[in-house]
Amino acid sequence: MEPAIEARRSPRMMLGTTKGLVATLVLTLFALSACSFPSDMRGTSDEIRGTVMVVGVIGSDKAGPRESEIINRIADHYNARVMWVTGEAHRLVSDLEQGKIHLLAGAIPQSTPFGRKIGLSRPLAYTIIGGDRHKTVLAVRKGENAFLLQVNRAIGTSP
């Protein structure tokens, strides 16, 4: 029978392991503290808080009842009043990209070709296009993730 061999670590090995662990922990905490998720790249949430939320509506004088209900919930969250702007899709998407409006409504299909240029909410209703039923969304300026999160919270569960 062989005697058991006891593995021993030198104090130097233990110190190196401890230093590495501490360094990793410090770097991880630093990285996490530097992150603020989600955030708005251009400050939409801060801009509308206590003031005015400008909402564009494509091709109609008013948003639909479900959209209006959600938009009012968003405005209430930010203690903002809603200013409605109407127009055609291309102009309103451009206004959204430039920050002239904060939110875009008007039965926007989830498969909108503008999807690469703007941030889209989760589905909130349906619309009929060419006889087919499509989920509809609201749109925000790309990169306004905290604002989009609040829009999605106001929508709640998908239709």
Side-chain angles (χ1 to χ4, degrees), residues 36-49 53-54 74 77-78 93 95-104 115-122 138-153:
S36 177
F37 291 108
S39 64
D40 291 336
M41 287 176 36
R42 294 180 182 97
T44 297
S45 295
D46 291 334
E47 184 178 318
I48 65 175
R49 186 171 274 108
M53 179 174 71
V54 183
I74 297 163
H77 172 80
Y78 288 106
V93 167
D95 287 351
L96 183 65
E97 289 179 300
Q98 295 172 33
K100 294 178 182 176
I101 62 175
H102 303 110
L103 187 63
L104 186 56
R116 290 178 173 236
K117 299 174 127 190
I118 55 181
L120 301 176
S121 73
R122 69 174 46 140
L138 297 173
V140 301
R141 195 173 186 190
K142 199 156 197 85
E144 300 306 273
N145 298 327
F147 184 56
L148 181 58
L149 177 64
Q150 189 54 46
V151 169
N152 284 331
R153 283 181 178 154

Side-chain angles (χ1 to χ4, degrees), residues 38-151:
S39 64
D40 291 336
M41 287 176 36
R42 294 180 182 97
T44 297
S45 295
D46 291 334
E47 184 178 318
I48 65 175
R49 186 171 274 108
T51 60
V52 176
M53 179 174 71
V54 183
V55 179
V57 182
I58 297 172
S60 177
D61 292 342
K62 275 190 150 187
R66 172 99 169 109
E67 287 178 319
S68 293
E69 173 191 334
I70 291 165
I71 290 165
N72 287 327
R73 251 188 258 152
I74 297 163
D76 287 347
H77 172 80
Y78 288 106
N79 193 31
R81 65 183 174 84
V82 178
M83 183 171 124
W84 301 94
V85 177
T86 60
E88 66 86 30
H90 288 87
R91 184 181 67 79
L92 289 174
V93 167
S94 177
D95 287 351
L96 183 65
E97 289 179 300
Q98 295 172 33
K100 294 178 182 176
I101 62 175
H102 303 110
L103 187 63
L104 186 56
I108 303 165
Q110 187 177 27
S111 60
T112 178
F114 296 113
R116 290 178 173 236
K117 299 174 127 190
I118 55 181
L120 301 176
S121 73
R122 69 174 46 140
L124 61 117
Y126 294 95
T127 191
I128 305 297
I129 301 174
D132 296 327
R133 185 174 165 175
H134 295 269
K135 292 179 180 179
T136 60
V137 296
L138 297 173
V140 301
R141 195 173 186 190
K142 199 156 197 85
E144 300 306 273
N145 298 327
F147 184 56
L148 181 58
L149 177 64
Q150 189 54 46
V151 169

Side-chain angles (χ1 to χ4, degrees), residues 15-26:
L15 183 60
T17 303
T18 304
K19 279 184 179 178
L21 182 61
V22 168
T24 301
L25 181 61
V26 168

Side-chain angles (χ1 to χ4, degrees), residues 23-39:
T24 301
L25 181 61
V26 168
L27 286 173
T28 301
L29 290 174
F30 177 74
L32 289 174
S33 69
C35 298
S36 177
F37 291 108
S39 64

